[in-house]
Structure formats: C-alpha cells, structure tokens
Amino acid sequence: MSDNVKSGVDFIRERINKDNETGKYNKQVVTRFPPEPNGYLHIGHAKSICINFGIAREYNGRCHLRFDDTNPEKEEIEYIESIKKDVRWLGFDWGKHLYYASDYFQQIHDFAVNLIKAGKAYVCHLTPEQMREYRGTLTEPGKNSPYRNRSVEENLSLFEQMKNGELDEGACVLRAKIDMASPNITMRDPAIYRIKKAEHHRTGSTWCIYPMYDFTHCISDALEGITHSLCTLEFEINRPLYDWVLEQIGYPHRPQQIEFARLNLNYTVMSKRKLLRLVTEKYVHGWDDPRMPTLSGLRRRGYTPESIRTFAERIGISKVNSTIDYAFLEYCLREDLNMRAPRVMAVLKPLKVVIDNYPDDTVEWMPAINNPEDESAGEREIPFSNVLYIEQEDFSLNPPPKYHRLSPGKEIRLKHAYYITCTSVVQDESTGKITEVHCTYDPASKGGWTDDKRTVRGTSHWVSAAHAKKAEIRLYDSLFTNENPDDDSEGKTFIDYLNPNSLEALSGCLVEPGLEKAKPGDFFQFLRQGYFCMDPDSTSENLVFNRTVTLKDTWAKLQKKNG
RNA sequence: UUCCCGGUAGUGUAAUGGUAGCACCACAGACUCUGGAUCUGUUCGUGGGGGUUCAAGUCCUCCCCGGGAAGCCA
C-alpha cells in the first residue's frame, strides 16, 4: 500500500490502510458480521455484509459470521438458518469462522467477575423505574445508585446468586461503575448483566443471567481477534463504552469500532419491527414475498446477488444519513440482467392474430437469438403458424400519434419471423371489443428482414397459438406509494402508504414452449416487457413467473407526458 | 435545553490547501428486427456570515439545518 492516500478510498479503508502502514495489527484485517437472530436479513444488512466480507476479502483477511444471541426471548433458530442461507446466497463464505456470542458466555461471565473484583462493577437493586430516575436526563447529570458502594465481597456473592437463579428476574442487575455524570448517557453505570430465566436456543437453561450487548460485543470482538469492528452509526455513542470495557478487562488484543451510515432506500421500510408487521398482519404473503426488501424477498423477486453486491459497492460508505433512490438499485439489476438474461417471448394479455395467407397446416421453426448482448448464449428455434397471439397493447384501432405498432392497414414486424399487415378486425358486436385481428404476411420477409429498403418501425413479440404454454404472471410494483413510508407526520403510518396495486396476478398468459423446461429461480427477459424469473410456486401444469423489473419504457413515458 | 456525529447538483459519492469530478435520475438527440441495449449532449452543486492564505468544499470562528442519545433491546 502506498504512502499516499488514494483518491476514492472511503474512510474505513483509509483507516485500514493507515493501520497496515503503522503495523497496528500486524497487517491483519479481521472483520465480522454480527446479526441478532431475531428476524430476516434485508437489503440494509446486505450493505453491511458486503462491507465486512468485502473488505476482508480485499485485504486477504477474514470475516466472521457471529450470531449476537444474548437475548433468548427474541431469538429463534429459524432466523439463524435464514441468515446463513442469505449470506451464502449473496456470495460470501465465513469458512470455519461461524460463531455465537453464546459460545463466550462463560468467558464473559468471568470477565464480569474480574470487573467486580476490581471494584468496577456492582449489583444494583434499583427497579427499572428508579434506575431511569437515577440516570438523569439529557440535560441533567444522574445520581449515584445507593447500591454503588457495596463491597466487592457482597457484589461477588450477589452476582453468584444471580447466576445460580436464586434471584428473581428483574430483581437486580450487574452494572459497570463508570460515571453517573457523564454527558454520554451510555456511560452512566450501564447494566451489563440481567437476569432472564428464559430457555436459550443454544445454551438451554444453563444460564439465567445474560450479558448485555455493550458488554458482549466488544469482548466477542476481542476474543475472536477482530481488528476492525464495523457497525452502523447508531452505535457511535456506545463506542466509549466499547473501549472502556476492553480497557478494564485488559485483554491483549484491542479491536476498534468504526461506524458508517446504514442504508436507507426510498419507497421501502427497513425496520425489522415494520417488516415483521407486514408479515404477521398479512399485508404480504411472507418474509420472502417478492415485494419485501428482505434478501429472501429480493431473491424470489429475481434480484441477482451480483447486482446487489454491485449496488452495495457503488453507493459507497460514509457517515452521512442518506436515502438512495430505488431506481439506482433497479439500474444495477437491469445492468446485470441485460448481460445475462436469455430473451424469450411471452404474451401477457393475448390478442388473437390470424394470418390469412399463411397455410394452416404449416409450422415453421424460426431461429431466434438468445441474447444480443452475449453471442455465446446461442440460438433457439420457435414455432410459427397461421394463428398467433400478440399483446393487446400492440394493436390499436385508432392509433395515437407516433404509434408504431399494429393498426388497420399498417405493417409491423413479428420478431424473428415475418412482416405482417393488418387487413381487418373482428369485434364483439355487443361490447365492441376486438376479438381477432386478421393479417397477411410477406413471405419475402422471413426472419424479420427484407432486401428492399422498406422500413418497418414496429416490432412485436408473439407466440404461436398451437404451441404456446399457459402461464400465470405476477406483476409487482412498489409496495409503498410514498417515497418515505416512515413519514408519520399527518397522523399516518407506513400501513397507510401501502400500494393497493403492488401485485397484479395475470392468468392466461402465453409463453413460448421452451419455457416449460425452466426451473424456479431461472431468469429471463420477456422481450419488450421486462425481466422475469420463475417462481417456486410453478408446476408443470401452471408455470408461474414473477416480474423482477420492467424494461425502461420510453413509449409509456411519452404517453404519460402527452396525458 | 445537554452531549455526540454530520451538511458537495434532485439522489448518492469523489476532490485530504491548487481546474468542483463520477454515477443514477430528468431532459434532448443519434442508432437499433426489443419504443430494450448502446452512444452523444443538456440542466443542476460546496448551508450562511466572518477570518487565515497568493489560493479555501478542504483550515479557524460564529450561526443555521439534519441525525443520534435518557432499554434490565441490539
């Protein structure tokens, strides 16, 4: 690493570079991702995962996955499994470095005993209400607890009783003895151990006291040899306590906490509490509902791990509270899918087209390129016959200006097939609805091209009626109508901003026959429609696809602009 | 009201005393068998006042604005 600080390097890497220059950690970089197993991971966690695992990879270090499981009341094994799955899916590997804070309960306990012996911690019998009073306020200092000067022997004995389950839950806590007048309230004799007689998902009933986050996290970091403990801004105020604990316990390795801003995205909510509510109150179909910003939801929606990693990298790292445009995430997604998604044809809202001059006993298999962005993706063949379906939107009886699609007398190109010209339409006598469009085709245009200089502006996708497979296609839109669903001014809550049209399920869609062989999770570009992926609900009788994201649609934009 | 952290185009993010740059969005155009992709261009910015300096987004100072903090949550 050069002596000059490089342009474009964020403040965390800058710090690591400096540590490597000074040899602070012997050029080791060890980070960790420390989720609490009390919910599913979301896109905000993805940023943290990419930073922690990404930096470790970049500096040839390592990143630990550590479950911060110090609160048995809220944590469940289900969440542990989903978290592991999501981290792996994102493309990261903790190798053998899978840890649980609960692995350290004995050591953490021993450090607490030492702290008591050093006169730096005491058992406090103030009730929670009293503790709040004694803590003071943001503007006033706190008062010392009457239990603050208990003898070491008494504290040791009391803590032992807490540990042995001889005291009731809530009866007392172990507190660090720091400074009740500190301007930083975190330092006003914080609780470091509380009594909880709950069954822990890993340690069972071994413990009835559990260490608090502030005491657990820094010790876990030290024990694991973490060098750079990267966390979000809300822990900034806890940093003096992090350092205080490590200073007191005198452990030889000293990790350092560095904070960065958490990710905010517009049109979504990120709090675990709110996501949980969406699930439990059934506003969505589960944690992996494709409208959810959870990693399992994004995965089912069709987001690729690559695009999420790229996104995380591009948004950068800073200490500024910021909100990223959802459009930027979609940009990263489209960029990835554009290069990799096979193109196929699917008709969402079918309109029957009959080619009157095409023999009704003939089927031609037309070669179709799979991905114009990737020659190696090759070609496939799709069947063409005299009865087809095109998109309802691709035909208009009274076309608006600049409409380049099919209308009476107009000629368009059927992608990979022929030019067709509309000769007549069949309408339902009572409703006026167009039920069938009749066309003629130009045999000289086979493959979608002619040698004359004829220009055909419009190109439609289509499927052959006799060969197409039926499918259900789920069109997703933003879950919220408000850019900032967390905005609770005007007495509203995020529930009030739910988008009633966030899901439109279409049945009777028709897709080209090859899609029958797709597997859940496979992604495609449905030509001119967007990117879609096969949903796990899919069966051989009922193909199901989710719309991941639309293509940019300048025609829709034009129409919108013109009212 | 106290303490801490921040403030660069609409949104993100660079510039570490020396030309305010990049990306997304928006808009306009070119090109195109996807109204896709690609390419080109345009609008738009250092929160404010003082100060130091040949030179300030950057250093000093005062102010303004935003966020966080009073769990036996993490």
Side-chain angles (χ1 to χ4, degrees), chain A residues 37-332:
Chain A
N38 69 344
Y40 279 68
L41 257 27
H42 53 62
I43 180 82
H45 294 110
K47 173 181 178 179
S48 183
I49 292 167
C50 290
I51 288 174
N52 278 293
F53 280 93
I55 283 179
R57 184 182 285 175
E58 203 177 310
Y59 286 89
N60 293 313
R62 61 177 200 265
C63 180
H64 299 180
L65 175 61
R66 180 171 74 229
F67 289 99
D68 215 337
D69 55 351
T70 58
N71 189 346
E73 287 166 354
K74 293 194 193 169
E75 297 153 5
E76 293 174 29
I77 289 176
E78 175 198 354
Y79 295 128
I80 291 180
E81 294 311 314
S82 78
I83 289 168
K84 287 198 231 171
K85 180 177 179 183
D86 288 346
V87 173
R88 278 199 203 96
W89 175 71
L90 257 191
F92 297 105
D93 181 12
W94 52 87
K96 57 185 180 186
H97 300 285
L98 172 64
Y99 302 106
Y100 296 82
S102 53
D103 291 341
Y104 313 130
F105 280 173
Q106 185 60 51
Q107 290 168 88
I108 294 170
H109 165 269
D110 296 346
F111 281 125
V113 169
N114 288 342
L115 215 52
I116 294 171
K117 287 179 179 164
K120 300 284 188 178
Y122 61 98
V123 173
C124 181
H125 277 77
L126 250 26
T127 65
E129 297 70 41
Q130 291 171 319
M131 228 205 261
R132 199 178 313 125
E133 284 165 32
Y134 275 79
R135 190 155 31 228
T137 67
L138 296 175
T139 54
E140 298 161 301
K143 300 179 295 197
N144 285 348
S145 161
Y147 304 100
R148 200 172 200 258
N149 291 316
R150 290 220 252 227
S151 69
V152 168
E153 293 67 32
E154 190 182 2
N155 282 320
L156 247 17
S157 152
L158 253 14
F159 189 51
E160 182 71 15
Q161 290 174 39
M162 284 170 65
K163 182 188 146 198
N164 293 340
E166 295 163 26
L167 302 175
D168 288 337
E169 231 174 86
C172 56
V173 294
L174 183 68
R175 289 227 256 172
K177 191 189 285 188
I178 310 180
D179 175 10
M180 289 306 291
S182 172
N184 180 348
I185 294 180
T186 307
M187 298 296 272
R188 319 240 262 228
D189 288 10
I192 56 175
Y193 259 95
R194 76 291 215 191
I195 301 169
K196 269 188 198 294
K197 296 187 174 173
E199 184 85 359
H200 187 280
H201 58 94
R202 299 195 82 240
T203 61
S205 53
T206 305
W207 296 90
C208 43
I209 52 171
Y210 291 92
M212 302 283 291
Y213 166 84
D214 284 309
F215 197 60
T216 309
H217 201 84
C218 53
I219 291 176
S220 306
D221 281 348
L223 259 21
E224 290 178 16
I226 301 299
T227 56
H228 303 265
S229 185
L230 313 176
C231 64
T232 45
L233 246 28
E234 69 268 26
F235 294 101
E236 204 160 29
I237 198 145
N238 300 55
R239 180 163 21 105
L241 180 51
Y242 182 102
D243 291 334
W244 184 89
V245 171
L246 293 182
E247 178 71 31
Q248 302 307 318
I249 69 168
Y251 196 78
H253 178 73
R254 280 294 286 276
Q256 57 187 329
Q257 173 179 308
I258 304 170
E259 312 85 11
F260 60 89
R262 69 182 331 150
L263 169 66
N264 295 295
L265 262 185
N266 57 13
Y267 294 102
T268 102
V269 296
M270 216 75 98
S271 98
K272 282 185 185 174
R273 208 198 89 245
K274 288 177 181 171
L275 295 176
L276 180 64
R277 196 170 155 203
L278 291 174
V279 173
T280 55
E281 295 180 21
K282 309 235 191 295
Y283 292 108
V284 296
H285 301 318
W287 286 102
D288 68 344
D289 187 296
R291 292 165 292 183
M292 291 283 274
T294 51
L295 294 182
S296 49
L298 291 166
R299 174 168 59 233
R300 189 163 179 183
R301 175 76 168 254
Y303 275 74
T304 61
E306 290 83 356
S307 67
I308 293 174
R309 275 188 259 130
T310 305
F311 170 75
E313 192 178 307
R314 287 180 181 166
I315 56 176
I317 310 176
S318 75
K319 299 191 69 155
V320 187
N321 292 299
S322 57
T323 302
I324 313 283
D325 280 336
Y326 205 91
F328 189 60
L329 212 209
E330 293 185 327
Y331 164 78
C332 295

Side-chain angles (χ1 to χ4, degrees), chain A residues 280-529:
Chain A
T280 55
E281 295 180 21
K282 309 235 191 295
Y283 292 108
V284 296
H285 301 318
W287 286 102
D288 68 344
D289 187 296
R291 292 165 292 183
M292 291 283 274
T294 51
L295 294 182
S296 49
L298 291 166
R299 174 168 59 233
R300 189 163 179 183
R301 175 76 168 254
Y303 275 74
T304 61
E306 290 83 356
S307 67
I308 293 174
R309 275 188 259 130
T310 305
F311 170 75
E313 192 178 307
R314 287 180 181 166
I315 56 176
I317 310 176
S318 75
K319 299 191 69 155
V320 187
N321 292 299
S322 57
T323 302
I324 313 283
D325 280 336
Y326 205 91
F328 189 60
L329 212 209
E330 293 185 327
Y331 164 78
C332 295
L333 210 216
R334 287 194 186 100
E335 181 185 54
D336 184 33
L337 256 16
N338 177 47
M339 299 308 294
R340 304 198 293 148
R343 271 61 169 173
V344 295
M345 295 202 282
V347 177
L348 273 46
K349 295 179 180 172
L351 172 63
K352 189 176 183 183
V353 171
V354 180
I355 313 294
D356 293 320
N357 61 341
Y358 192 86
D360 63 5
D361 57 353
T362 300
V363 174
E364 283 184 280
W365 288 82
M366 313 300 248
I369 192 163
N370 286 326
N371 186 348
E373 304 292 333
D374 176 12
E375 212 174 303
S376 72
E379 287 184 350
R380 69 191 182 288
E381 291 194 325
I382 47 179
F384 183 87
S385 64
N386 72 322
V387 182
L388 313 166
Y389 284 96
I390 64 168
E391 209 68 60
Q392 286 172 20
E393 278 187 354
D394 285 342
F395 178 83
S396 174
L397 208 47
N398 302 297
K402 295 190 178 167
Y403 187 83
H404 301 138
R405 308 176 185 189
L406 196 63
S407 55
K410 283 276 292 282
E411 181 173 53
I412 62 158
R413 168 172 36 241
L414 293 179
K415 182 76 177 176
H416 305 306
Y418 289 103
Y419 292 174
I420 58 168
T421 302
C422 172
T423 50
S424 64
V425 302
V426 179
Q427 282 173 284
D428 182 293
E429 278 177 27
S430 55
T431 64
K433 191 171 180 255
I434 297 158
T435 54
E436 215 173 285
V437 174
H438 284 256
C439 294
T440 57
Y441 86 110
D442 177 358
S445 65
K446 183 166 182 182
W449 195 245
T450 55
D451 286 335
D452 55 23
K453 298 219 172 76
R454 188 146 43 122
T455 58
V456 174
R457 279 294 298 269
T459 300
S460 282
H461 56 280
W462 52 274
V463 292
S464 166
H467 304 84
K469 302 296 170 193
K470 282 220 177 82
E472 172 182 339
I473 297 182
R474 299 171 182 169
L475 267 20
Y476 294 102
D477 197 358
S478 171
L479 225 204
F480 296 97
T481 53
N482 192 305
E483 197 176 321
N484 176 17
D486 290 320
D487 178 13
D488 50 11
S489 61
E490 301 176 34
K492 305 235 180 174
T493 75
F494 71 110
I495 297 295
D496 297 312
Y497 298 123
L498 248 10
N499 178 5
N501 305 315
S502 59
L503 168 59
E504 183 187 358
L506 301 176
S507 53
C509 307
L510 296 169
V511 303
E512 62 173 75
L515 248 25
E516 202 177 27
K517 295 198 288 283
K519 294 188 297 295
D522 285 355
F523 52 78
F524 303 93
Q525 184 194 104
F526 287 181
L527 226 58
R528 301 205 305 137
Q529 295 287 350

